[in-house]
Amino acid sequence: MAAVKSNLTEEAEQKLMQLLGYTKLSLLFKGSVHGFTVNAFHNKCDLQGPTLTVAYNKPGYIFGGYTSQSFNSGAGNYLHDENAFLFSIGLGQVDSKIIKIPTENAANAVYTANNSGINFGNGALHLIGAGTAVQSASNNVYKFEPIALHGNDLVLVECEVYRVESLGELLPTPWRKLSWTVEQRREYMDMVKNYTPFNLIPRIRVLLIGPVGVGKSSFFNSVNSVFRGHVTSQAIAGSASSSLTTKFRAYSIRDGREGKPLPVMLCDTMGLEEHTGTGIDTEDIVYILKGHVPENYQVCHRLFC
């Protein structure tokens, strides 16, 4: 089955991050795919922790609500949530400002039951309870102007629910100051050029290890480009579900187009993957570190060698 695609634009998601902070959104439910039914909603969204509901109507309003509590399919109860809120991005245009409507009665912020859809404030905003029809009215839990929230259009063309995962707090200030000048760039490059390895080793080798797609080969190309003085793409790099690098390669970095090799070599190899039978074998990493793997060795998992 093909992956379910989100309707959220990058601009809309950035506006939502203003309310949610540094978070990751994972799509759980999409009405046009899973069905605009209470059962479909609960099957996908129960016990998922904090969620964000995003609704779309025909005029183009993007609106919905957030709860830090989990929906459930019990007999019916209110979720006490001081963090719950409704929101609207209006027509979702680039210059549209996001509106936040916090709950004024945390004890009744969200109602959840096996026969109820997404119900903020027991009727302030009720979605999926009756197919694509929206029930909405300002009350003592959420106070708002309907025209500002959804333009008074109470028919959905889409409804999505996302799990909201916190990625931690951003630092109030950068953890270090970077002062990048031409002089400092030259100083750092000279440090690398003039580095002398220990014990008469002519050049040290740095092994690049990491998951598929994190940019190991691209990192070498970038470093190589800086020292060569022009853009290079010696290592194969790109985006794919499996590793584009299949051989062990030890790349020299030269000082300028025709300059001498630097005392540092960057070694590239196949990326790490989660599943058995894919990615580089951990035994091969040990052999590489011990210096037992020759240049251009075909790196692969034991099951396929």
Side-chain angles (χ1 to χ4, degrees), residues 28-64:
L28 299 172
F29 170 83
K30 189 179 182 77
S32 62
V33 175
H34 303 115
F36 290 90
T37 67
V38 172
N39 286 340
F41 159 69
H42 282 293
N43 285 339
K44 293 292 183 180
C45 303
D46 277 2
L47 306 178
Q48 292 290 334
T51 54
L52 177 77
T53 300
V54 184
Y56 309 79
N57 61 17
K58 192 171 182 179
Y61 279 79
I62 302 173
F63 60 100

PDB file of all heavy atoms in Angstrom, residues 28-64:
ATOM      1  N   LEU A  28      -1.448  10.003  11.354  1.00  0.00           N
ATOM      2  CA  LEU A  28      -2.116   8.792  11.826  1.00  0.00           C
ATOM      3  C   LEU A  28      -3.379   8.477  11.035  1.00  0.00           C
ATOM      4  O   LEU A  28      -3.665   7.309  10.736  1.00  0.00           O
ATOM      5  CB  LEU A  28      -2.503   8.944  13.311  1.00  0.00           C
ATOM      6  CG  LEU A  28      -1.397   9.167  14.327  1.00  0.00           C
ATOM      7  CD1 LEU A  28      -2.011   9.475  15.688  1.00  0.00           C
ATOM      8  CD2 LEU A  28      -0.490   7.937  14.413  1.00  0.00           C
ATOM      9  N   PHE A  29      -4.137   9.509  10.718  1.00  0.00           N
ATOM     10  CA  PHE A  29      -5.477   9.333  10.155  1.00  0.00           C
ATOM     11  C   PHE A  29      -5.732  10.366   9.072  1.00  0.00           C
ATOM     12  O   PHE A  29      -5.371  11.530   9.211  1.00  0.00           O
ATOM     13  CB  PHE A  29      -6.517   9.478  11.277  1.00  0.00           C
ATOM     14  CG  PHE A  29      -7.942   9.560  10.805  1.00  0.00           C
ATOM     15  CD1 PHE A  29      -8.664   8.416  10.506  1.00  0.00           C
ATOM     16  CD2 PHE A  29      -8.563  10.796  10.654  1.00  0.00           C
ATOM     17  CE1 PHE A  29      -9.983   8.499  10.067  1.00  0.00           C
ATOM     18  CE2 PHE A  29      -9.875  10.884  10.215  1.00  0.00           C
ATOM     19  CZ  PHE A  29     -10.583   9.727   9.922  1.00  0.00           C
ATOM     20  N   LYS A  30      -6.355   9.926   7.992  1.00  0.00           N
ATOM     21  CA  LYS A  30      -6.733  10.815   6.905  1.00  0.00           C
ATOM     22  C   LYS A  30      -8.117  10.386   6.430  1.00  0.00           C
ATOM     23  O   LYS A  30      -8.303   9.259   5.955  1.00  0.00           O
ATOM     24  CB  LYS A  30      -5.710  10.717   5.771  1.00  0.00           C
ATOM     25  CG  LYS A  30      -5.870  11.752   4.661  1.00  0.00           C
ATOM     26  CD  LYS A  30      -4.774  11.552   3.617  1.00  0.00           C
ATOM     27  CE  LYS A  30      -4.865  12.594   2.506  1.00  0.00           C
ATOM     28  NZ  LYS A  30      -4.341  13.902   2.945  1.00  0.00           N
ATOM     29  N   GLY A  31      -9.081  11.277   6.582  1.00  0.00           N
ATOM     30  CA  GLY A  31     -10.472  10.929   6.316  1.00  0.00           C
ATOM     31  C   GLY A  31     -10.711  10.386   4.921  1.00  0.00           C
ATOM     32  O   GLY A  31     -11.447   9.411   4.744  1.00  0.00           O
ATOM     33  N   SER A  32     -10.101  10.994   3.903  1.00  0.00           N
ATOM     34  CA  SER A  32     -10.336  10.561   2.522  1.00  0.00           C
ATOM     35  C   SER A  32      -9.752   9.179   2.239  1.00  0.00           C
ATOM     36  O   SER A  32     -10.127   8.535   1.267  1.00  0.00           O
ATOM     37  CB  SER A  32      -9.738  11.576   1.549  1.00  0.00           C
ATOM     38  OG  SER A  32      -8.332  11.677   1.725  1.00  0.00           O
ATOM     39  N   VAL A  33      -8.847   8.727   3.087  1.00  0.00           N
ATOM     40  CA  VAL A  33      -8.217   7.410   2.905  1.00  0.00           C
ATOM     41  C   VAL A  33      -8.830   6.368   3.833  1.00  0.00           C
ATOM     42  O   VAL A  33      -9.218   5.272   3.407  1.00  0.00           O
ATOM     43  CB  VAL A  33      -6.691   7.491   3.149  1.00  0.00           C
ATOM     44  CG1 VAL A  33      -6.058   6.103   3.091  1.00  0.00           C
ATOM     45  CG2 VAL A  33      -6.037   8.411   2.130  1.00  0.00           C
ATOM     46  N   HIS A  34      -8.940   6.704   5.116  1.00  0.00           N
ATOM     47  CA  HIS A  34      -9.406   5.740   6.112  1.00  0.00           C
ATOM     48  C   HIS A  34     -10.916   5.775   6.329  1.00  0.00           C
ATOM     49  O   HIS A  34     -11.474   4.855   6.919  1.00  0.00           O
ATOM     50  CB  HIS A  34      -8.678   5.984   7.446  1.00  0.00           C
ATOM     51  CG  HIS A  34      -7.197   5.913   7.326  1.00  0.00           C
ATOM     52  ND1 HIS A  34      -6.368   7.005   7.546  1.00  0.00           N
ATOM     53  CD2 HIS A  34      -6.377   4.894   6.976  1.00  0.00           C
ATOM     54  CE1 HIS A  34      -5.112   6.657   7.364  1.00  0.00           C
ATOM     55  NE2 HIS A  34      -5.083   5.375   7.016  1.00  0.00           N
ATOM     56  N   GLY A  35     -11.552   6.856   5.872  1.00  0.00           N
ATOM     57  CA  GLY A  35     -13.001   6.979   6.026  1.00  0.00           C
ATOM     58  C   GLY A  35     -13.376   7.997   7.088  1.00  0.00           C
ATOM     59  O   GLY A  35     -12.746   8.054   8.146  1.00  0.00           O
ATOM     60  N   PHE A  36     -14.423   8.774   6.811  1.00  0.00           N
ATOM     61  CA  PHE A  36     -14.891   9.786   7.772  1.00  0.00           C
ATOM     62  C   PHE A  36     -15.859   9.134   8.761  1.00  0.00           C
ATOM     63  O   PHE A  36     -17.029   9.501   8.853  1.00  0.00           O
ATOM     64  CB  PHE A  36     -15.582  10.931   7.026  1.00  0.00           C
ATOM     65  CG  PHE A  36     -14.648  11.791   6.223  1.00  0.00           C
ATOM     66  CD1 PHE A  36     -14.359  11.479   4.904  1.00  0.00           C
ATOM     67  CD2 PHE A  36     -14.052  12.916   6.774  1.00  0.00           C
ATOM     68  CE1 PHE A  36     -13.504  12.273   4.149  1.00  0.00           C
ATOM     69  CE2 PHE A  36     -13.187  13.718   6.033  1.00  0.00           C
ATOM     70  CZ  PHE A  36     -12.914  13.389   4.719  1.00  0.00           C
ATOM     71  N   THR A  37     -15.362   8.148   9.505  1.00  0.00           N
ATOM     72  CA  THR A  37     -16.208   7.436  10.461  1.00  0.00           C
ATOM     73  C   THR A  37     -15.552   7.426  11.834  1.00  0.00           C
ATOM     74  O   THR A  37     -14.331   7.505  11.957  1.00  0.00           O
ATOM     75  CB  THR A  37     -16.454   5.981  10.022  1.00  0.00           C
ATOM     76  OG1 THR A  37     -15.223   5.240  10.089  1.00  0.00           O
ATOM     77  CG2 THR A  37     -17.020   5.924   8.599  1.00  0.00           C
ATOM     78  N   VAL A  38     -16.399   7.300  12.850  1.00  0.00           N
ATOM     79  CA  VAL A  38     -15.906   7.267  14.226  1.00  0.00           C
ATOM     80  C   VAL A  38     -14.996   6.065  14.437  1.00  0.00           C
ATOM     81  O   VAL A  38     -13.927   6.173  15.058  1.00  0.00           O
ATOM     82  CB  VAL A  38     -17.099   7.246  15.212  1.00  0.00           C
ATOM     83  CG1 VAL A  38     -16.603   7.000  16.636  1.00  0.00           C
ATOM     84  CG2 VAL A  38     -17.872   8.553  15.138  1.00  0.00           C
ATOM     85  N   ASN A  39     -15.397   4.895  13.926  1.00  0.00           N
ATOM     86  CA  ASN A  39     -14.590   3.685  14.119  1.00  0.00           C
ATOM     87  C   ASN A  39     -13.224   3.817  13.479  1.00  0.00           C
ATOM     88  O   ASN A  39     -12.201   3.423  14.061  1.00  0.00           O
ATOM     89  CB  ASN A  39     -15.327   2.465  13.542  1.00  0.00           C
ATOM     90  CG  ASN A  39     -16.486   2.028  14.416  1.00  0.00           C
ATOM     91  OD1 ASN A  39     -16.535   2.365  15.601  1.00  0.00           O
ATOM     92  ND2 ASN A  39     -17.420   1.290  13.841  1.00  0.00           N
ATOM     93  N   ALA A  40     -13.186   4.359  12.262  1.00  0.00           N
ATOM     94  CA  ALA A  40     -11.901   4.522  11.579  1.00  0.00           C
ATOM     95  C   ALA A  40     -10.993   5.465  12.365  1.00  0.00           C
ATOM     96  O   ALA A  40      -9.789   5.210  12.516  1.00  0.00           O
ATOM     97  CB  ALA A  40     -12.125   5.051  10.170  1.00  0.00           C
ATOM     98  N   PHE A  41     -11.561   6.540  12.888  1.00  0.00           N
ATOM     99  CA  PHE A  41     -10.780   7.488  13.679  1.00  0.00           C
ATOM    100  C   PHE A  41     -10.195   6.813  14.913  1.00  0.00           C
ATOM    101  O   PHE A  41      -8.990   6.918  15.180  1.00  0.00           O
ATOM    102  CB  PHE A  41     -11.644   8.680  14.079  1.00  0.00           C
ATOM    103  CG  PHE A  41     -11.122   9.430  15.271  1.00  0.00           C
ATOM    104  CD1 PHE A  41      -9.951  10.170  15.191  1.00  0.00           C
ATOM    105  CD2 PHE A  41     -11.794   9.376  16.486  1.00  0.00           C
ATOM    106  CE1 PHE A  41      -9.458  10.847  16.303  1.00  0.00           C
ATOM    107  CE2 PHE A  41     -11.303  10.048  17.595  1.00  0.00           C
ATOM    108  CZ  PHE A  41     -10.135  10.785  17.510  1.00  0.00           C
ATOM    109  N   HIS A  42     -11.037   6.108  15.685  1.00  0.00           N
ATOM    110  CA  HIS A  42     -10.541   5.477  16.917  1.00  0.00           C
ATOM    111  C   HIS A  42      -9.538   4.368  16.621  1.00  0.00           C
ATOM    112  O   HIS A  42      -8.570   4.181  17.375  1.00  0.00           O
ATOM    113  CB  HIS A  42     -11.712   4.938  17.739  1.00  0.00           C
ATOM    114  CG  HIS A  42     -12.442   6.002  18.499  1.00  0.00           C
ATOM    115  ND1 HIS A  42     -11.872   6.694  19.539  1.00  0.00           N
ATOM    116  CD2 HIS A  42     -13.704   6.502  18.357  1.00  0.00           C
ATOM    117  CE1 HIS A  42     -12.746   7.571  20.024  1.00  0.00           C
ATOM    118  NE2 HIS A  42     -13.864   7.478  19.318  1.00  0.00           N
ATOM    119  N   ASN A  43      -9.727   3.633  15.542  1.00  0.00           N
ATOM    120  CA  ASN A  43      -8.790   2.564  15.186  1.00  0.00           C
ATOM    121  C   ASN A  43      -7.389   3.110  14.935  1.00  0.00           C
ATOM    122  O   ASN A  43      -6.388   2.457  15.229  1.00  0.00           O
ATOM    123  CB  ASN A  43      -9.271   1.815  13.938  1.00  0.00           C
ATOM    124  CG  ASN A  43     -10.431   0.889  14.234  1.00  0.00           C
ATOM    125  OD1 ASN A  43     -10.646   0.493  15.375  1.00  0.00           O
ATOM    126  ND2 ASN A  43     -11.196   0.538  13.207  1.00  0.00           N
ATOM    127  N   LYS A  44      -7.306   4.302  14.384  1.00  0.00           N
ATOM    128  CA  LYS A  44      -6.007   4.883  14.030  1.00  0.00           C
ATOM    129  C   LYS A  44      -5.416   5.788  15.115  1.00  0.00           C
ATOM    130  O   LYS A  44      -4.193   5.942  15.195  1.00  0.00           O
ATOM    131  CB  LYS A  44      -6.138   5.690  12.732  1.00  0.00           C
ATOM    132  CG  LYS A  44      -6.446   4.858  11.501  1.00  0.00           C
ATOM    133  CD  LYS A  44      -5.275   3.960  11.128  1.00  0.00           C
ATOM    134  CE  LYS A  44      -5.544   3.176   9.861  1.00  0.00           C
ATOM    135  NZ  LYS A  44      -4.387   2.305   9.504  1.00  0.00           N
ATOM    136  N   CYS A  45      -6.279   6.371  15.938  1.00  0.00           N
ATOM    137  CA  CYS A  45      -5.807   7.472  16.797  1.00  0.00           C
ATOM    138  C   CYS A  45      -5.883   7.223  18.292  1.00  0.00           C
ATOM    139  O   CYS A  45      -5.359   8.041  19.069  1.00  0.00           O
ATOM    140  CB  CYS A  45      -6.585   8.750  16.462  1.00  0.00           C
ATOM    141  SG  CYS A  45      -6.460   9.236  14.734  1.00  0.00           S
ATOM    142  N   ASP A  46      -6.518   6.143  18.738  1.00  0.00           N
ATOM    143  CA  ASP A  46      -6.614   5.903  20.176  1.00  0.00           C
ATOM    144  C   ASP A  46      -5.251   5.606  20.792  1.00  0.00           C
ATOM    145  O   ASP A  46      -4.390   4.949  20.170  1.00  0.00           O
ATOM    146  CB  ASP A  46      -7.551   4.729  20.458  1.00  0.00           C
ATOM    147  CG  ASP A  46      -9.015   5.147  20.471  1.00  0.00           C
ATOM    148  OD1 ASP A  46      -9.284   6.342  20.225  1.00  0.00           O
ATOM    149  OD2 ASP A  46      -9.885   4.291  20.701  1.00  0.00           O
ATOM    150  N   LEU A  47      -5.057   6.111  22.002  1.00  0.00           N
ATOM    151  CA  LEU A  47      -3.868   5.832  22.820  1.00  0.00           C
ATOM    152  C   LEU A  47      -2.562   6.211  22.111  1.00  0.00           C
ATOM    153  O   LEU A  47      -1.546   5.550  22.264  1.00  0.00           O
ATOM    154  CB  LEU A  47      -3.837   4.346  23.223  1.00  0.00           C
ATOM    155  CG  LEU A  47      -5.101   3.819  23.917  1.00  0.00           C
ATOM    156  CD1 LEU A  47      -4.968   2.344  24.217  1.00  0.00           C
ATOM    157  CD2 LEU A  47      -5.378   4.616  25.190  1.00  0.00           C
ATOM    158  N   GLN A  48      -2.587   7.293  21.363  1.00  0.00           N
ATOM    159  CA  GLN A  48      -1.412   7.741  20.624  1.00  0.00           C
ATOM    160  C   GLN A  48      -0.701   8.920  21.281  1.00  0.00           C
ATOM    161  O   GLN A  48       0.256   9.449  20.726  1.00  0.00           O
ATOM    162  CB  GLN A  48      -1.814   8.131  19.201  1.00  0.00           C
ATOM    163  CG  GLN A  48      -2.248   6.970  18.328  1.00  0.00           C
ATOM    164  CD  GLN A  48      -1.097   6.057  17.962  1.00  0.00           C
ATOM    165  OE1 GLN A  48       0.052   6.471  17.934  1.00  0.00           O
ATOM    166  NE2 GLN A  48      -1.404   4.799  17.692  1.00  0.00           N
ATOM    167  N   GLY A  49      -1.177   9.331  22.458  1.00  0.00           N
ATOM    168  CA  GLY A  49      -0.548  10.472  23.105  1.00  0.00           C
ATOM    169  C   GLY A  49      -1.026  11.782  22.493  1.00  0.00           C
ATOM    170  O   GLY A  49      -2.105  11.847  21.893  1.00  0.00           O
ATOM    171  N   PRO A  50      -0.238  12.848  22.611  1.00  0.00           N
ATOM    172  CA  PRO A  50      -0.646  14.150  22.068  1.00  0.00           C
ATOM    173  C   PRO A  50      -0.924  14.081  20.573  1.00  0.00           C
ATOM    174  O   PRO A  50      -0.178  13.444  19.829  1.00  0.00           O
ATOM    175  CB  PRO A  50       0.566  15.045  22.352  1.00  0.00           C
ATOM    176  CG  PRO A  50       1.251  14.391  23.517  1.00  0.00           C
ATOM    177  CD  PRO A  50       1.057  12.919  23.321  1.00  0.00           C
ATOM    178  N   THR A  51      -2.014  14.720  20.154  1.00  0.00           N
ATOM    179  CA  THR A  51      -2.376  14.722  18.733  1.00  0.00           C
ATOM    180  C   THR A  51      -2.800  16.110  18.286  1.00  0.00           C
ATOM    181  O   THR A  51      -3.282  16.922  19.069  1.00  0.00           O
ATOM    182  CB  THR A  51      -3.531  13.740  18.443  1.00  0.00           C
ATOM    183  OG1 THR A  51      -4.627  14.030  19.312  1.00  0.00           O
ATOM    184  CG2 THR A  51      -3.098  12.303  18.606  1.00  0.00           C
ATOM    185  N   LEU A  52      -2.620  16.329  16.998  1.00  0.00           N
ATOM    186  CA  LEU A  52      -3.064  17.557  16.347  1.00  0.00           C
ATOM    187  C   LEU A  52      -4.051  17.169  15.258  1.00  0.00           C
ATOM    188  O   LEU A  52      -3.738  16.355  14.388  1.00  0.00           O
ATOM    189  CB  LEU A  52      -1.881  18.305  15.734  1.00  0.00           C
ATOM    190  CG  LEU A  52      -2.233  19.575  14.966  1.00  0.00           C
ATOM    191  CD1 LEU A  52      -2.535  20.715  15.939  1.00  0.00           C
ATOM    192  CD2 LEU A  52      -1.094  19.976  14.025  1.00  0.00           C
ATOM    193  N   THR A  53      -5.243  17.734  15.302  1.00  0.00           N
ATOM    194  CA  THR A  53      -6.256  17.514  14.279  1.00  0.00           C
ATOM    195  C   THR A  53      -6.278  18.702  13.333  1.00  0.00           C
ATOM    196  O   THR A  53      -6.364  19.847  13.773  1.00  0.00           O
ATOM    197  CB  THR A  53      -7.646  17.323  14.904  1.00  0.00           C
ATOM    198  OG1 THR A  53      -7.617  16.177  15.769  1.00  0.00           O
ATOM    199  CG2 THR A  53      -8.705  17.110  13.841  1.00  0.00           C
ATOM    200  N   VAL A  54      -6.178  18.426  12.039  1.00  0.00           N
ATOM    201  CA  VAL A  54      -6.167  19.479  11.030  1.00  0.00           C
ATOM    202  C   VAL A  54      -7.322  19.220  10.064  1.00  0.00           C
ATOM    203  O   VAL A  54      -7.388  18.160   9.426  1.00  0.00           O
ATOM    204  CB  VAL A  54      -4.844  19.516  10.253  1.00  0.00           C
ATOM    205  CG1 VAL A  54      -4.844  20.690   9.270  1.00  0.00           C
ATOM    206  CG2 VAL A  54      -3.666  19.639  11.210  1.00  0.00           C
ATOM    207  N   ALA A  55      -8.246  20.175   9.968  1.00  0.00           N
ATOM    208  CA  ALA A  55      -9.419  20.045   9.106  1.00  0.00           C
ATOM    209  C   ALA A  55      -9.345  21.051   7.958  1.00  0.00           C
ATOM    210  O   ALA A  55      -8.775  22.135   8.099  1.00  0.00           O
ATOM    211  CB  ALA A  55     -10.698  20.267   9.927  1.00  0.00           C
ATOM    212  N   TYR A  56      -9.934  20.656   6.836  1.00  0.00           N
ATOM    213  CA  TYR A  56      -9.949  21.504   5.642  1.00  0.00           C
ATOM    214  C   TYR A  56     -11.385  21.562   5.116  1.00  0.00           C
ATOM    215  O   TYR A  56     -12.053  20.527   5.007  1.00  0.00           O
ATOM    216  CB  TYR A  56      -9.064  20.927   4.543  1.00  0.00           C
ATOM    217  CG  TYR A  56      -7.653  20.567   4.970  1.00  0.00           C
ATOM    218  CD1 TYR A  56      -7.395  19.386   5.663  1.00  0.00           C
ATOM    219  CD2 TYR A  56      -6.577  21.398   4.670  1.00  0.00           C
ATOM    220  CE1 TYR A  56      -6.108  19.036   6.043  1.00  0.00           C
ATOM    221  CE2 TYR A  56      -5.284  21.056   5.039  1.00  0.00           C
ATOM    222  CZ  TYR A  56      -5.062  19.872   5.731  1.00  0.00           C
ATOM    223  OH  TYR A  56      -3.778  19.529   6.112  1.00  0.00           O
ATOM    224  N   ASN A  57     -11.874  22.760   4.794  1.00  0.00           N
ATOM    225  CA  ASN A  57     -13.202  22.851   4.184  1.00  0.00           C
ATOM    226  C   ASN A  57     -13.087  23.401   2.758  1.00  0.00           C
ATOM    227  O   ASN A  57     -11.994  23.756   2.293  1.00  0.00           O
ATOM    228  CB  ASN A  57     -14.164  23.684   5.041  1.00  0.00           C
ATOM    229  CG  ASN A  57     -13.707  25.118   5.239  1.00  0.00           C
ATOM    230  OD1 ASN A  57     -12.853  25.628   4.509  1.00  0.00           O
ATOM    231  ND2 ASN A  57     -14.284  25.795   6.234  1.00  0.00           N
ATOM    232  N   LYS A  58     -14.204  23.467   2.060  1.00  0.00           N
ATOM    233  CA  LYS A  58     -14.176  23.813   0.639  1.00  0.00           C
ATOM    234  C   LYS A  58     -13.643  25.210   0.359  1.00  0.00           C
ATOM    235  O   LYS A  58     -12.865  25.412  -0.590  1.00  0.00           O
ATOM    236  CB  LYS A  58     -15.575  23.647   0.034  1.00  0.00           C
ATOM    237  CG  LYS A  58     -15.584  23.709  -1.482  1.00  0.00           C
ATOM    238  CD  LYS A  58     -16.950  23.329  -2.039  1.00  0.00           C
ATOM    239  CE  LYS A  58     -16.932  23.343  -3.576  1.00  0.00           C
ATOM    240  NZ  LYS A  58     -18.253  22.954  -4.141  1.00  0.00           N
ATOM    241  N   PRO A  59     -13.994  26.226   1.159  1.00  0.00           N
ATOM    242  CA  PRO A  59     -13.425  27.569   0.893  1.00  0.00           C
ATOM    243  C   PRO A  59     -11.909  27.616   1.041  1.00  0.00           C
ATOM    244  O   PRO A  59     -11.263  28.532   0.543  1.00  0.00           O
ATOM    245  CB  PRO A  59     -14.109  28.456   1.934  1.00  0.00           C
ATOM    246  CG  PRO A  59     -15.368  27.738   2.271  1.00  0.00           C
ATOM    247  CD  PRO A  59     -15.018  26.281   2.201  1.00  0.00           C
ATOM    248  N   GLY A  60     -11.337  26.629   1.761  1.00  0.00           N
ATOM    249  CA  GLY A  60      -9.891  26.591   1.926  1.00  0.00           C
ATOM    250  C   GLY A  60      -9.396  26.873   3.325  1.00  0.00           C
ATOM    251  O   GLY A  60      -8.185  26.994   3.542  1.00  0.00           O
ATOM    252  N   TYR A  61     -10.310  26.981   4.295  1.00  0.00           N
ATOM    253  CA  TYR A  61      -9.886  27.202   5.678  1.00  0.00           C
ATOM    254  C   TYR A  61      -9.163  25.966   6.211  1.00  0.00           C
ATOM    255  O   TYR A  61      -9.571  24.823   5.951  1.00  0.00           O
ATOM    256  CB  TYR A  61     -11.078  27.510   6.581  1.00  0.00           C
ATOM    257  CG  TYR A  61     -11.539  28.948   6.520  1.00  0.00           C
ATOM    258  CD1 TYR A  61     -12.328  29.402   5.470  1.00  0.00           C
ATOM    259  CD2 TYR A  61     -11.169  29.859   7.506  1.00  0.00           C
ATOM    260  CE1 TYR A  61     -12.744  30.717   5.394  1.00  0.00           C
ATOM    261  CE2 TYR A  61     -11.579  31.186   7.446  1.00  0.00           C
ATOM    262  CZ  TYR A  61     -12.361  31.609   6.393  1.00  0.00           C
ATOM    263  OH  TYR A  61     -12.773  32.920   6.332  1.00  0.00           O
ATOM    264  N   ILE A  62      -8.087  26.220   6.952  1.00  0.00           N
ATOM    265  CA  ILE A  62      -7.342  25.164   7.648  1.00  0.00           C
ATOM    266  C   ILE A  62      -7.496  25.441   9.133  1.00  0.00           C
ATOM    267  O   ILE A  62      -7.064  26.484   9.629  1.00  0.00           O
ATOM    268  CB  ILE A  62      -5.855  25.172   7.252  1.00  0.00           C
ATOM    269  CG1 ILE A  62      -5.709  25.000   5.738  1.00  0.00           C
ATOM    270  CG2 ILE A  62      -5.109  24.063   7.979  1.00  0.00           C
ATOM    271  CD1 ILE A  62      -4.276  25.164   5.246  1.00  0.00           C
ATOM    272  N   PHE A  63      -8.127  24.522   9.852  1.00  0.00           N
ATOM    273  CA  PHE A  63      -8.435  24.746  11.264  1.00  0.00           C
ATOM    274  C   PHE A  63      -8.432  23.409  11.993  1.00  0.00           C
ATOM    275  O   PHE A  63      -8.327  22.348  11.373  1.00  0.00           O
ATOM    276  CB  PHE A  63      -9.791  25.442  11.417  1.00  0.00           C
ATOM    277  CG  PHE A  63     -10.950  24.664  10.837  1.00  0.00           C
ATOM    278  CD1 PHE A  63     -11.792  23.914  11.653  1.00  0.00           C
ATOM    279  CD2 PHE A  63     -11.209  24.671   9.463  1.00  0.00           C
ATOM    280  CE1 PHE A  63     -12.856  23.196  11.129  1.00  0.00           C
ATOM    281  CE2 PHE A  63     -12.273  23.960   8.919  1.00  0.00           C
ATOM    282  CZ  PHE A  63     -13.094  23.221   9.752  1.00  0.00           C
ATOM    283  N   GLY A  64      -8.543  23.451  13.307  1.00  0.00           N
ATOM    284  CA  GLY A  64      -8.550  22.203  14.067  1.00  0.00           C
ATOM    285  C   GLY A  64      -8.246  22.428  15.525  1.00  0.00           C
ATOM    286  O   GLY A  64      -8.540  23.490  16.073  1.00  0.00           O
TER     287      GLY A  64
END
